[in-house]
Amino acid sequence: MKIYKVIEIDFRNLTIKAVETDLSIADVPENEVFPVEEFGEFRIRMCNGGNSGGKGEIVDFAEWVKMRTHIL
């Protein structure tokens, strides 16, 4: 499981930008960890490689969950 840190939230456009961290789930308090599925209508840009210019992609997580469930 990868842990991402939210660095930007735009409530007007319903977008979230997050960067990958080197943290493990044990490093983060339970009340600060949320599954991406809980963000509903938000479009989320997850950047691998931290803040160093890693490329991000806007993902429709409702569609992602459907596809993932279908694959599994």
Side-chain angles (χ1 to χ4, degrees):
M1 173 185 305
K2 289 186 181 182
I3 302 293
Y4 288 80
K5 178 180 179 181
V6 173
I7 60 170
E8 183 179 313
I9 299 176
D10 181 339
F11 289 101
R12 182 175 185 194
N13 294 308
L14 295 176
T15 59
I16 295 173
K17 182 177 180 182
V19 293
E20 183 180 18
T21 70
D22 292 331
L23 299 172
S24 73
I25 193 74
D27 296 329
V28 183
E30 185 178 336
N31 66 339
E32 293 183 17
V33 177
F34 303 93
V36 293
E37 297 87 358
E38 289 186 13
F39 291 102
E41 296 179 26
F42 278 85
R43 293 177 300 154
I44 301 174
R45 177 171 288 166
M46 301 170 81
C47 301
N48 293 326
N51 283 322
S52 60
K55 293 190 176 193
E57 178 180 344
I58 295 177
V59 176
D60 176 346
F61 276 100
E63 189 63 33
W64 181 84
V65 168
K66 283 185 209 173
M67 291 298 293
R68 182 129 173 131
T69 305
H70 180 70
I71 293 170
L72 300 175

